[in-house]
């Protein structure tokens, strides 16, 4: 396959033809990846919709008994878990990042996480 | 009785030392210079740790091929292989019959076997999840191919022929196997210089990219924190390689081998049922092919081909290509930053050059220098793997035009 078969001489290509090839090539890469982006986006949306449906389906039957017979509030405990050293205060730090930081600190100190007490984590801006 | 003097004389005459000294002015000096260059490359690979897995092999191949009378690689055989008037034209039989060890290694480069197998291993090691969770990353992978086409144009301006210029331009894709794949097909006599330039600059990415990234963005832009992207399902990850292979190979059939191997490797990883295959691709196969590929590429660095003004031009054009690809990705990132009203950190654009995962790490490092709590690595991996696909498409296009 030769896109520029009509071009006079690609071996000793002229500057004009070289610029055309360069622009066309860059455009081709963009076009290819844009189409791929659209396809991947559609694929992602299709899977997100499917997952949403799957998540909604089992939720419905469970929801009904909860409404008719509300569970006692007692089990929702605000106390710390057994062995806990209290609550950790997070300032501008998402819980996932905090978990990662705590794991890194424990690893670096060579101590198990349950032997360390973190009082607060604050993002340094 | 054996004439000991004659035996010693014959031994001397058949030695490489005699060949070096007697033919010093007739090309022997080039062998010596190339041996020094091989030692410099070994120094860069071992001491400076420039892509050591490949650089050591390339340097050692260069050393072996420039030892006179060793007969490991025969450039004249490959010239005959490429000459339509020669009886050995396209005859692998002639190579097998008359070639040395490195000639036989080189058959795998010539047939594009090694770059494709390397791509298979790369696919098995790549997680396309960040790309699937943020498909717009593909645009950054495209934008970062600017250097490929700018360097191609620059090479034509410097007097290179079309196919040579295309091979030089692909250095900007920052993808070693793709550069070797295209150069073997379009300009095999430049393979040594292009491979060395491509792998050296890939090793220098942490030095080349940050100044360009800082120049093209403001500190406020570099501090932008990006929100976490969605989780990608396993089914999506399995469908993706099949989809990309079909689409890209239909668009540019010349890339079918590269993209096919890349995506087959990825499919083997994502199915979860072919762990043995995936493990072999990532480790044993990758290592074996790296040995064969690097020594074979190094073997092409014979003095007559390498010690030319063209090599210097390739070295300069290579760094220009890398710089412009980084700039292209950054500009793409800046456009996305504007369009999303500051939700995209433009630094992830520079990862669009496909040196995986080095370029993504550089984006993360530069981001953290401006905001220590900023983790851009996973966001930058999207453009990074998109760059692999982008550079394969660019190579396919150039091969379609000049092949």
């Amino acid at each position: 396959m030769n896109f520029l078969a009509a071009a006079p001489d690609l071996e000793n290509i002229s500057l004009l033809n070289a610029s055309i090839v360069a622009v066309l090539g860059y455009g081709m890469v963009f076009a290819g990846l844009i189409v791929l982006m659209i396809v991947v986006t559609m694929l992602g949306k299709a899977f997100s919709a499917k997952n949403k449906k799957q998540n909604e389906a089992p939720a419905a039957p469970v929801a009904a008994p909860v409404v008719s017979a509300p569970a006692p509030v007692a089990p929702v405990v605000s106390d710390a878990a057994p062995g806990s050293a209290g609550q950790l205060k997070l300032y501008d730090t998402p819980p996932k990042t905090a978990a990662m930081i705590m794991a890194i600190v424990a690893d670096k100190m060579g101590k198990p996480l349950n032997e360390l007490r973190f009082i607060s984590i604050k993002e340094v801006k | 009785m054996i004439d000991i003097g004659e035996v010693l004389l014959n031994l001397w005459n058949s030695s490489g030392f005699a060949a070096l000294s007697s033919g010093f002015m007739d090309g022997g000096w080039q062998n010596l210079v190339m041996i020094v260059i091989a030692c410099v490359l070994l120094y860069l690979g071992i001491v400076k740790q420039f892509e050591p897995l490949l650089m050591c092999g390339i340097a050692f191949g260069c050393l072996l091929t420039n030892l006179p009378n060793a007969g490991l690689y025969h450039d004249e055989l490959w010239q005959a292989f490429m000459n339509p008037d020669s009886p050995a034209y396209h005859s692998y039989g002639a190579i097998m019959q008359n070639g040395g060890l490195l000639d036989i290694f080189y058959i795998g480069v010539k047939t594009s076997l090694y770059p494709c197998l390397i791509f298979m291993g790369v696919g098995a090691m790549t997680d396309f999840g960040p790309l699937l969770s943020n498909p717009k990353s593909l645009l950054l992978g495209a934008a970062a191919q600017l250097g490929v086409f700018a360097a191609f144009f620059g090479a034509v301006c410097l007097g290179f022929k079309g196919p040579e210029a295309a091979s030089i331009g692909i250095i900007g894709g920052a993808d070693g196997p793709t550069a070797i794949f295209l150069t073997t097909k379009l300009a095999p006599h430049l393979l040594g210089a292009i491979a060395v330039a491509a792998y050296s600059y890939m090793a220098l990415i942490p030095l080349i990219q940050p100044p360009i990234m800082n120049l093209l963005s403001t500190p406020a832009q570099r501090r932008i924190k990006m929100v976490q992207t969605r989780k990608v399902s396993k089914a999506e990850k399995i469908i993706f390689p099949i989809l990309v292979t079909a689409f890209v190979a239909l668009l540019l059939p010349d890339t079918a081998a590269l993209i096919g191997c890349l995506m087959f490797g990825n499919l083997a990883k994502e199915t979860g049922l072919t762990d043995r295959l995936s493990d072999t691709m990532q480790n044993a196969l990758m290592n074996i092919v790296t040995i064969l590929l690097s020594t074979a590429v190094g073997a092409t660095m014979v003095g007559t081909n390498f010690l030319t003004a063209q090599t210097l031009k390739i070295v300069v054009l290579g760094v220009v290509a890398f710089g412009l690809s980084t700039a292209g990705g950054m500009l793409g990132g800046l456009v996305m930053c504007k369009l999303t009203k500051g939700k995209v950190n433009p630094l992830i654009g520079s990862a669009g050059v496909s040196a995986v995962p080095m370029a993504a790490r550089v984006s993360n490092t530069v981001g953290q220098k401006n905001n220590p709590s900023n983790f851009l690595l996973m966001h930058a991996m999207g453009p990074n793997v998109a760059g692999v696909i982008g550079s394969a498409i660019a190579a396919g296009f150039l091969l379609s035009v000049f092949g």
Side-chain angles (χ1 to χ4, degrees):
Chain A
M1 186 166 67
N2 195 329
F3 288 147
L4 298 180
D9 185 5
L10 288 170
E11 188 77 11
N12 299 306
I13 192 167
S14 67
L15 287 181
L16 178 66
N17 281 336
S19 57
I20 292 170
V21 169
V23 172
L24 203 62
Y26 200 36
M28 173 65 83
V29 175
F30 261 103
L33 291 182
I34 285 172
V35 174
L36 209 54
M37 182 187 80
I38 293 166
V39 174
V40 170
T41 306
M42 284 164 60
L43 184 75
K45 283 192 175 166
F47 272 93
S48 294
K50 194 182 157 196
N51 288 344
K52 207 175 169 187
K53 270 186 187 175
Q54 278 178 345
N55 289 341
E56 279 171 1
V62 175
V66 169
V67 172
S68 57
V73 184
V76 184
V77 183
S78 60
D79 292 340
S84 167
Q87 277 200 336
L88 168 69
K89 286 181 182 167
L90 298 178
Y91 299 97
D92 299 329
T93 311
K96 277 188 180 176
T97 308
M100 194 164 64
I101 290 167
M102 289 191 287
I104 291 168
V105 170
D107 183 56
K108 291 276 178 197
M109 292 179 73
K111 288 197 169 186
L113 202 52
N114 59 4
E115 286 181 15
L116 298 172
R117 185 182 175 195
F118 293 85
I119 296 165
S120 68
I121 297 177
K122 188 178 180 183
E123 184 188 341
V124 181
K125 291 189 178 174
Chain B
M1 191 178 158
I2 295 174
D3 183 348
I4 296 174
E6 196 181 330
V7 170
L8 290 176
L9 188 67
N10 285 342
L11 198 63
W12 167 255
N13 286 337
S14 64
S15 74
F17 291 112
L20 268 180
S21 56
S22 63
F24 187 78
M25 294 312 292
D26 193 26
W29 67 272
Q30 289 178 323
N31 291 107
L32 273 181
V33 173
M34 289 309 297
I35 289 169
V36 172
I37 289 175
C39 292
V40 171
L41 294 178
L42 279 170
Y43 171 80
L44 292 177
I46 296 166
V47 180
K48 296 290 175 187
Q49 299 185 5
F50 280 20
E51 296 280 331
L53 289 177
L54 279 146
M55 197 59 91
C56 289
I58 291 175
F60 215 81
C62 173
L63 176 70
L64 289 173
T65 203
N66 285 288
L67 296 173
N69 291 358
L72 293 171
Y73 179 80
H74 300 84
D75 196 45
E76 66 280 4
L77 276 182
W78 290 102
Q79 283 176 11
F81 182 88
M82 295 302 292
N83 182 4
D85 301 326
S86 162
Y89 179 60
H90 282 184
S91 167
Y92 285 112
I95 302 286
M96 295 291 281
Q97 198 175 0
N98 305 310
L101 178 70
L102 294 178
D103 287 305
I104 294 166
F105 281 13
Y106 187 65
I107 290 174
V109 179
K110 196 75 194 164
T111 54
S112 302
L113 177 68
Y114 301 154
C116 291
L117 291 179
I118 292 270
F119 248 47
M120 201 182 274
V122 170
M125 286 194 269
T126 304
D127 178 11
F128 284 102
L131 174 68
L132 288 165
S133 65
N134 184 15
K136 291 187 189 81
S137 304
L138 283 158
L139 294 177
L140 298 175
Q145 304 309 314
L146 175 67
V148 173
F149 296 100
F152 158 75
F153 184 72
V156 172
C157 291
L158 288 179
F160 284 97
K161 290 178 177 172
E164 293 174 337
S167 303
I168 294 165
I170 204 69
I171 297 174
D175 196 324
T178 307
I180 291 169
F181 176 82
L182 189 69
T183 308
T184 310
K185 294 199 181 284
L186 297 183
H189 55 288
L190 299 180
L191 183 61
I194 287 175
V196 167
Y199 282 113
S200 301
Y201 292 138
M202 275 162 69
L204 289 173
I205 275 184
L207 295 178
I208 296 172
Q209 286 198 317
I212 301 167
M213 293 159 83
N214 288 330
L215 188 73
L216 292 176
S217 59
T218 63
Q221 286 170 332
R222 294 196 289 274
R223 280 196 290 268
I224 292 172
K225 275 191 169 184
M226 292 178 67
V227 293
Q228 201 172 3
T229 48
R230 72 180 176 89
K231 202 174 170 225
V232 178
S233 69
K234 187 179 173 184
E236 274 178 89
K237 287 187 176 180
I238 291 174
I239 291 172
F240 180 71
I242 302 165
L243 204 104
V244 173
T245 306
F247 173 72
V248 178
L250 286 172
L251 180 70
L252 291 164
D254 288 318
T255 56
L258 271 185
I259 285 288
C261 285
L262 178 77
M263 292 302 161
F264 175 54
N266 189 248
L267 184 67
K269 171 184 174 275
E270 296 300 349
T271 57
L273 301 169
T274 51
D275 287 345
R276 279 167 54 195
L277 300 186
S278 170
D279 178 58
T280 304
M281 290 170 187
Q282 290 180 42
N283 300 297
L285 181 66
M286 188 80 159
N287 292 340
I288 291 168
V289 177
T290 301
I291 293 165
L292 298 173
L293 175 75
S294 58
T295 47
V297 168
T300 63
M301 293 169 66
V302 287
T304 44
N305 282 347
F306 196 83
L307 296 176
T308 61
Q310 280 191 335
T311 303
L312 283 179
K313 288 181 190 172
I314 290 168
V315 169
V316 173
L317 284 166
V319 76
V320 170
F322 258 66
L324 286 174
S325 285
T326 304
M330 279 296 295
L331 293 174
L334 287 166
V335 170
M336 282 180 82
C337 180
K338 284 269 177 207
L339 292 178
T340 57
K341 290 175 186 157
K343 285 182 183 164
V344 171
N345 188 320
L347 292 179
I348 65 166
S350 67
V353 301
S354 65
V356 181
M358 185 85 88
R361 279 192 203 148
V362 171
S363 297
N364 189 52
T365 308
V366 176
Q368 286 196 326
K369 270 188 186 160
N370 290 273
N371 181 354
S373 66
N374 206 355
F375 296 94
L376 290 174
L377 187 64
M378 288 316 284
H379 299 289
M381 280 307 289
N384 208 189
V385 293
V388 179
I389 302 172
S391 61
I393 293 179
F397 172 81
L398 292 169
L399 194 55
S400 300
V401 175
F402 295 105

